[in-house]
Amino acid sequence: MTPVTNRNYRTSVSLAAVALAAALVCAAPAFAQAPKYKLDIPSESAAKALNDFAEQAGLQILFPYEAADVGRVPAIKGEYTREDALKLILAGTNLEVARQDEKTISLRVVKNSAAAAADEAVEVIVTGTHIRGANPTSPVRTLTRKDIDNSGYGQIGDLIRSLPENFSGGQNPGIIGTGAGGPDQVNHSNASTVNLRGLGTDASLVLVNGHRLAYDTYFQASDISGIPLLAIQRVDVVPDGASALYGSDAVAGVVNFILRKNYSGTTTSLRLGGTTQGGGAERTYSVLSGWAGDRGYLLANLERSEQEAITFGQRNLAGTPTTTLQRPQDRNSLYLSGGLFAGARTEITLDALVSERTALAKLSQFVGYPAYVSRARTPAHSVALALETELGSSWQLRVAALNASSRFISDGKYETAATFFRTNYRSRSEGLEATLNGRAFTLPTGDVKVALGGGYRKERFRNLDPNDVAYFNKTRDVRFIFGEALVPLVAANPDRPGLQALELNVSARNEHYSDFGATSTPKIGLRYVPMADLTLRASWGKSFKAPSFLQTYQARQVYYVNLPFVGGTGAQQALVSLGGNYDLTPERSTSKTVGIDYQTSRFNRLRLGLNAFSIDYTDRVVLPIAVYSQSLSSPLYAPFVQYNPTLSEVQALVGSAVTFLNYARVTYDPSTVRAIVRNQYTNATSQTAEGVDVSYGQTFDTDIGEIGTFANVSHIEVRQQTLPTTPETVISGLIFRAPEVKGRAGLTWQSNGWSANATANYVSGSTDVGVTPAQPIGSWTTLDAQLAYTFPSRSDYLRGTRIALSAINLLDRRPPYAASPSRDFPGVDFDSTNASIIGRSISLTVVKAW
């Protein structure tokens, strides 16, 4: 490929800067900002009053809910300054202001108070913008600590896979590589990955405290399974293209895991669970301990998880009874966070996440054929050292050094073989970035705030065994600059009905890759507040993703298979060729969202959200054949199939392969090959995803306690055109693809320390195109439930203790039947990317704050 010159690089940077500068001056004069807030807050608990104050004042308030959920605040009605309102609300609590700016207030438990064991306030991190105190114009869904506790899940991957915006396929536990789903639906190491909108685990960017994790070794996705659940304060999900803010990979969106920091006390957690059908027993032990003082803070969370196997025999599936359905695994995670306050204006922070996971597997794809046994170990770490300092009264400088690494070490062999095959990959990322954040100047409409930054990142992917015939060692350097501006087009005024606020957010980023050249990505967002309870927003932006090292440089693999495996008939064979492609180009996309958010303290704290989205994806890197059993019959795959190859062509292909595997269960004979299926990575012409997200929530105060209801539903249609000569087809709603509709709805109850919740999970039906004629696959609905009790503070020995009994898939629903997977993997008669064979699982969790 042709390298980009420095002149072109400077030109791209200049254009991005010009676009940003133009946006800074497009503000219209309006009215001055009001110094007081018009409030109408009923007499209620401090926690509810803080939420109502935040909604009515248009603020973001971060606070420990349990520490604030005490007493009753007198009714507050009239005009109040922020300080006066907070003084009234916090009067009967043990909370104080930790940090604040114009739009955000962070509260914490007063040092040495009796409530020190309660949940701490978090650092102000807003996902979807670099500007402090700004309100993102993209949709942001937040899972709070309370949401995590009420979910009943013991692994963060299970929680993310339950989200309607996320598809469970890709590199995730429970995925059974039947072959029918294609090589991108696999479970190499039991990693858990994010797959927003079903566009692939490599199209969603994962952050921890705003920093990138290292890629896992397959499909350029980040493994989130090592994040200890107890350490998570909240999770922000931004299902919208965000490369203008965060760079490559944020095509379908960003998930940011915000971990705890300034916490005082110690919390221990024990989780014991298992399945009612047998197997899958789990044990998780976690200890969180922290100290926070005037000069800094220190926190550590150590977690160990053990999970036993589930086999075919334990689920009465056909095939070899000892074949693994759920891999047994052990996981150890350590999270460390520290901060040092160097005076009143400077803070030095350190975040470190270290994990190691070991998973075993035994696969017997064919009855009577030797089983393949493997042991995969995946150590990983992520470290961020940062310095934050205030410059003057309105500017902040943040400089961070980052280092992250992930390894995949797998030993596998057939039971009858004498030696193991070893795979030993490492992915590394290290870099430095700086961000300057503050008020650029003031217009009649208000302050224009900007964030400017840049940095450098080196990425490396290598096979650690130089004697391996598939050895490679590749690096790339990435240089980037970015800018973001928040422009008030109309001054905020809560007393002006119909036009209380109107803000423009514009951002741009330029990245230069040493192997793919430079690319620029802009984004524009608009936020309109016609009244205090209603917000309308819209965004438009460009995103991109550089091809992964594996997609580019993976050595060629050739499989010798029977014709029925690729959709043919007869007793002859075919060759399937896989591998990287040096000619790949970066993927690009255009994202658009339009949304409405309504939140009010009236109508029982009603919350409504509607978000329409469109992602137009070009040059998407795909494996063109998604369903191998349709290779010879589908016209979509015809350009990638060669019929009746000559003997020399067969021998040349096999001779070029680094890996040749015989899956035909007969002696290899090149004269029996009747077709070659070429499934190397390629840039697809286009892929589009369009849909709607709907959310609802409401909280009722009743005589029997607080009752909450919620519902979240996503509808999506994904279309793909592989080549200009092939037609565009709908791929959502097909087997091994994202479902057209996915939703969750539930009911919660809380009173006097007791809490209970029930959640229904729905996945719409799909179509099995792996059989002829295609057959429908039914929808799948499951029910989760939890009952918990938190002992009151007056309890001498049990104070700070919470006991929860949880059930996932309470009604023990079996996955809907699908015929095609069992043709390639006998016994697997369901779509493992959209349903689980685990069945009902029960767990007991005991959490104690000391």
Side-chain angles (χ1 to χ4, degrees), residues 572-621:
Q572 295 173 311
Q573 282 74 43
L575 293 179
V576 177
S577 176
L578 299 170
N581 183 352
Y582 289 176
D583 297 324
L584 294 176
T585 60
E587 307 170 6
R588 304 183 185 279
S589 72
T590 302
S591 301
K592 298 176 233 180
T593 67
V594 178
I596 303 174
D597 300 309
Y598 180 74
Q599 298 187 21
T600 179
S601 57
R602 299 167 291 175
F603 310 120
N604 299 298
R605 281 165 276 170
L606 177 65
R607 304 176 303 279
L608 296 173
L610 177 65
N611 180 67
F613 63 89
S614 172
I615 303 173
D616 188 357
Y617 212 164
T618 59
D619 293 327
R620 176 71 169 115
V621 175

Side-chain angles (χ1 to χ4, degrees), residues 661-672:
L661 295 175
N662 183 349
Y663 286 131
R665 290 175 288 167
V666 297
T667 302
Y668 169 64
D669 182 356
S671 66
T672 66

Side-chain angles (χ1 to χ4, degrees), residues 240-261:
D240 184 24
S243 286
L245 294 169
Y246 300 107
S248 178
D249 308 340
V251 174
V254 177
V255 177
N256 192 7
F257 295 91
I258 312 298
L259 305 187
R260 296 180 172 187
K261 285 185 177 290

Side-chain angles (χ1 to χ4, degrees), residues 27 135 167 206 226 309 333 354 480 552-553 561 570 594 650 771 840-841:
N135 294 290
F167 173 47
V206 175
S333 299
V354 181
F480 58 90
T552 308
Y553 303 111
V561 300
V594 178
V650 170
V771 293
R840 183 193 299 114
S841 61

Side-chain angles (χ1 to χ4, degrees), residues 211 383-385 399-404 428-434 454-459 478 480:
H211 308 305
V383 179
L385 178 64
V399 180
L402 314 171
N403 184 286
R428 298 192 64 177
S429 176
E430 53 194 25
L432 184 71
E433 60 183 43
Y456 168 81
R457 187 172 72 252
K458 177 184 283 290
E459 298 175 352
V478 185
F480 58 90

Side-chain angles (χ1 to χ4, degrees), residues 638-774:
F640 309 98
V641 176
Q642 177 185 356
Y643 291 95
N644 299 315
T646 65
L647 187 61
S648 60
E649 289 173 330
V650 170
Q651 291 173 333
L653 179 63
V654 173
S656 68
V658 171
T659 303
F660 177 77
L661 295 175
N662 183 349
Y663 286 131
R665 290 175 288 167
V666 297
T667 302
Y668 169 64
D669 182 356
S671 66
T672 66
V673 174
R674 290 295 169 262
I676 294 177
V677 178
R678 302 183 188 275
N679 204 19
Q680 276 81 26
Y681 288 101
T682 186
N683 286 106
T685 299
S686 68
Q687 191 179 75
T688 61
E690 297 179 344
V692 177
D693 304 317
V694 180
S695 63
Y696 154 80
Q698 210 164 7
T699 305
F700 303 86
D701 293 318
T702 72
D703 294 337
I704 62 171
E706 181 183 275
I707 296 177
T709 58
F710 70 91
N712 297 281
V713 179
S714 288
H715 176 275
I716 190 171
E717 181 179 272
V718 182
R719 294 177 173 268
Q720 180 171 302
Q721 183 181 21
T722 307
L723 294 174
T725 56
T726 60
E728 183 183 62
T729 59
V730 176
I731 61 175
S732 53
L734 303 182
I735 189 171
F736 306 119
R737 298 289 190 173
E740 293 181 342
V741 179
K742 186 177 179 182
R744 283 169 60 85
L747 187 71
T748 65
W749 167 77
Q750 180 177 325
S751 177
N752 297 322
W754 287 96
S755 65
N757 61 77
T759 303
N761 309 278
Y762 173 79
V763 177
S764 62
S766 55
T767 302
D768 188 352
V769 294
V771 293
T772 304

Side-chain angles (χ1 to χ4, degrees), residues 241-385:
S243 286
L245 294 169
Y246 300 107
S248 178
D249 308 340
V251 174
V254 177
V255 177
N256 192 7
F257 295 91
I258 312 298
L259 305 187
R260 296 180 172 187
K261 285 185 177 290
N262 51 338
Y263 168 84
S264 291
T266 297
T267 298
T268 56
S269 175
L270 169 65
R271 177 185 172 92
L272 302 174
T275 66
T276 56
Q277 294 187 41
E282 62 171 313
R283 297 168 294 277
T284 301
Y285 319 90
S286 190
V287 178
L288 173 74
S289 186
W291 165 86
D294 296 334
R295 299 297 305 275
Y297 61 88
L298 182 64
L299 177 145
N301 183 194
L302 179 63
E303 186 170 286
R304 174 168 174 79
S305 178
E306 303 166 353
Q307 190 173 56
E308 296 180 1
I310 297 176
T311 64
F312 272 44
Q314 290 171 321
R315 292 300 177 268
N316 296 317
L317 296 178
T320 305
T322 56
T323 293
T324 305
L325 277 172
Q326 174 180 284
R327 301 188 182 202
Q329 71 169 18
D330 292 338
R331 174 178 59 83
N332 297 304
S333 299
L334 174 63
Y335 169 63
L336 295 173
S337 177
L340 176 64
F341 305 138
R345 304 173 68 86
T346 302
E347 179 180 353
I348 301 172
T349 63
L350 173 68
D351 290 332
L353 177 62
V354 181
S355 66
E356 183 172 36
R357 183 168 37 79
T358 301
L360 308 177
K362 183 176 183 179
L363 304 177
S364 299
Q365 186 166 355
F366 303 106
V367 177
Y369 199 68
Y372 185 81
V373 294
S374 66
R375 178 182 182 271
R377 186 168 63 90
T378 53
H381 81 267
S382 177
V383 179
L385 178 64

